[in-house]
Amino acid sequence: MSISRTGTSNPIWGGRFEGGPAALMRAINSSIATDKRLWRHDINASLAHAGMLRQQGIIGSEDGEAIVQGLAQIMDECARGGITEDDALEDIHGHVEARLGELIGEAAGRLHTARSRNDQVATDLKLWVRWAIDSALHDIAALETVILDRAEEHAATVMPGFTHLQSGQPVTLGHHLMAYREMLGRDRSRFEDARRRLNECPLGAAALAGTGFPIDRDFTATALHFDGPTANSIDSVADRDFIVDYLHAATLCANHLSRLAEEIILWASQPFSFIRLPDAWSTGSSIMPNKRNPDAAELVRSHSGRIVGDLVAVLVLLKGLPLAYAKDLQDATPPLFDAHDLLHMSLQAMAGMIAEIEFVPEKMRAAAAAGHATATDLADWLVAHANVPFREAHHIAGRAVAAAEFQNVALDQLDLADLQAIDPRIGEGALAALQLDSSVAARTSAGGTAPDRVREAVRAARAQRSKP
Ligand code: ARG
């Protein structure tokens, strides 16, 4: 869409002005470079508004038809060639209206009856955020699919479970991966919740006070697939909560990705070597030929910080803003788009990495064996088989750890005689309990790390997803 123009006074609001704005005024005021991304939603909202005006007899049928035809053509032009930016036309609303004027002449001027750019932009942004939420839900589902597959594949792969980044107890890799699936499930529900809450249509609030024209707000709300119209015209044009809701959900989701990214970075480092990153998800170094760097994971980690910044920018922008509309609100759009772009890329990159990472079970098992990670199993065995109170059993197991450290061996390499010297109640069965596989297999409590539980969790997650 390109528009040819003459004259200096603003075509949208220039009536009372003699001179045009200063060049810098134009530049600071213009948002088209950003909000051109709203074109599809802006035109759809105008189509709904035009249909309503015509149905209500507020504009004539011929003008209504011309407007609809013209808007359809602009939609087509935008889809093919994008938008030629003109700062004098300020924003996407100005651009579409000016182009409509070129195409259909005077009738174009009737489209803006009973509306304002204030309710227009609120409507466009809600439509865009709704789309962005659907896009995030789609990306999250794709990442979940990959996590479920890898978790099932590694339901019985033993790795160290950490607290304080110290080996705590052995867990299964599948269980560890499924922890991220839980986070993503909560992310999904936060996005769905934000979507439900935003789904009221501000169109018809006009500048801030509503309008005297006999508009039908249910008509436009339905045409744009909202649940209904908003209740208060002032709030309708002042509200950007839906952007904050979206950014909050995006921030937390990106935070989860950042934690996973951090683990990938750690696990790929030589001292860990729990994973090998495939070529497709690594970069080399310009000086050190040996390097294989986890840049994608590092960028997912850093992007999460930028998304936090986007959320904070909008919250600070809104704080203390008097009702109703103020131009400050225009500045909420760049952080919104930025967060979507970053999250979209991060979710996709993470799905790609998780799908292709090569896990190294031997390294994970060796690390799980270090650090006497089955000491709790010895204590549990004493409680279960020798009726020892847990606190006492904990001390006995602690002495076994000290003995292993003294001999410079792993806990499960002590023989029965060594253990019985510490406490004669320790029996043969305790030796088996100290093995990594029996340790994880024993943790069958609901939500526990036992391989059977992991497989069950994967099945449950898949069943839940296939529900309509
Ligand atoms: N470009 C503006 C925005 O994004 C549209 C609303 C302009 N309204 C106004 N009264 N100047 O907020």
Side-chain angles (χ1 to χ4, degrees):
M1 169 178 72
S2 75
I3 301 133
S4 52
R5 279 179 346 95
T6 51
T8 52
S9 153
N10 188 289
I12 302 165
W13 43 255
R16 60 162 294 181
F17 291 85
E18 279 170 19
L24 203 55
M25 178 63 223
R26 248 179 216 183
I28 196 173
N29 203 28
S30 169
S31 59
I32 186 62
T34 304
D35 63 28
K36 63 182 175 185
R37 287 176 68 168
L38 296 171
W39 65 267
R40 188 184 295 281
H41 305 298
D42 189 74
I43 296 170
N44 277 331
S46 285
L47 282 166
H49 185 67
M52 183 277 293
L53 292 176
R54 185 162 64 165
Q55 182 208 252
Q56 297 297 96
I58 299 169
I59 59 173
S61 205
E62 233 168 79
D63 285 343
E65 187 51 35
I67 289 170
V68 168
Q69 294 288 329
L71 288 171
Q73 178 171 338
I74 298 172
M75 183 87 91
D76 202 49
E77 288 173 5
C78 289
R80 283 168 204 278
I83 288 160
T84 310
E85 295 168 36
D86 178 352
D87 281 348
L89 294 169
E90 295 189 7
D91 52 25
I92 186 61
H93 326 296
H95 281 68
V96 171
E97 193 178 322
R99 179 63 183 143
L100 190 62
E102 282 189 346
L103 292 175
I104 67 169
E106 216 182 63
R110 298 193 187 280
L111 174 60
H112 215 53
T113 313
R115 79 170 185 190
S116 147
R117 280 188 293 163
N118 296 350
D119 60 342
Q120 238 188 312
V121 71
T123 307
D124 292 6
L125 286 170
K126 279 194 166 184
L127 292 171
W128 192 89
V129 171
R130 205 170 65 184
W131 168 85
I133 288 173
D134 291 342
S135 154
L137 289 171
H138 180 271
D139 290 338
I140 289 172
L143 176 54
E144 277 185 310
T145 302
V146 174
I147 287 179
L148 292 177
D149 289 348
R150 300 300 322 250
E152 185 175 48
E153 182 187 336
H154 289 285
T157 301
V158 173
M159 66 173 275
F162 298 100
T163 62
H164 312 266
L165 203 56
Q166 305 282 318
S167 278
Q169 295 174 335
V171 295
T172 51
L173 172 58
H175 196 52
H176 191 103
L177 291 173
M178 286 297 280
Y180 284 99
R181 191 266 163 187
E182 289 301 305
M183 298 177 221
L184 291 173
R186 292 193 293 273
D187 291 329
R188 201 164 4 91
S189 94
R190 257 183 293 274
F191 277 118
E192 284 163 354
D193 187 39
R195 193 187 198 286
R196 257 191 305 278
R197 198 176 302 109
L198 76 65
N199 213 28
E200 293 179 342
C201 185
L203 201 59
L208 82 162
T211 174
F213 290 101
I215 60 172
D216 180 350
R217 294 192 61 206
D218 288 313
F219 179 104
T220 38
T222 305
L224 296 169
H225 307 289
F226 285 103
D227 299 331
T230 49
N232 178 295
S233 63
I234 294 176
D235 177 58
S236 304
V237 296
D239 170 37
R240 294 295 183 273
D241 289 5
F242 57 97
I243 294 184
V244 176
D245 271 350
Y246 169 80
L247 289 174
H248 175 247
T251 298
L252 213 40
C253 181
N255 232 278
H256 296 147
L257 299 182
S258 179
R259 293 179 80 167
L260 180 52
E262 169 61 18
E263 299 208 297
I264 290 174
I265 294 160
L266 209 59
W267 293 358
S269 76
Q270 284 73 13
F272 272 84
S273 299
F274 285 5
I275 59 173
R276 261 192 292 274
L277 276 178
D279 286 355
W281 294 103
S282 323
T283 57
S285 155
S286 57
I287 173 167
M288 299 166 282
N290 54 316
K291 288 309 284 292
R292 172 187 282 277
N293 295 329
D295 293 38
E298 290 168 312
L299 287 162
V300 168
R301 188 174 58 181
S302 61
H303 286 172
S304 76
R306 290 173 61 189
I307 297 174
V308 174
D310 291 327
L311 169 65
V312 173
V314 175
L315 282 170
V316 175
L317 179 156
L318 291 173
K319 185 195 81 66
L321 205 62
L323 300 180
Y325 179 86
K327 206 49 170 280
D328 309 49
L329 293 175
Q330 179 167 285
D331 265 351
T333 318
L336 169 66
F337 290 170
D338 185 57
H340 161 76
D341 293 344
L342 294 172
L343 183 66
H344 178 50
M345 203 144 60
S346 295
L347 281 163
Q348 287 187 310
M350 196 48 92
M353 277 187 279
I354 298 295
E356 290 172 43
I357 275 175
E358 194 188 316
F359 293 104
V360 189
E362 319 81 75
K363 289 281 188 187
M364 293 188 176
R365 176 172 280 273
H372 317 294
T374 53
T376 315
D377 295 273
L378 177 57
D380 286 352
W381 189 92
L382 282 160
V383 171
H385 297 94
N387 199 26
V388 179
F390 182 78
R391 193 47 64 206
E392 189 190 344
H394 182 283
H395 280 292
I396 297 167
R399 288 209 299 279
V401 167
E405 270 176 359
F406 184 73
Q407 292 185 27
N408 206 13
V409 295
L411 182 63
D412 65 355
Q413 284 165 343
L414 291 177
D415 48 37
L416 191 57
D418 294 330
L419 290 168
Q420 285 177 337
I422 292 163
D423 193 295
R425 286 171 292 182
I426 298 177
E428 182 89 50
L431 293 181
L434 290 178
Q435 299 307 306
L436 291 173
D437 292 300
S438 34
S439 169
V440 294
R443 295 211 154 51
T444 52
S445 55
T449 198
D452 285 346
R453 283 287 186 234
V454 174
R455 289 187 195 101
E456 224 170 75
V458 170
R459 269 197 304 276
R462 287 198 179 123
Q464 193 193 347
R465 295 182 59 181
S466 58
K467 273 198 216 130

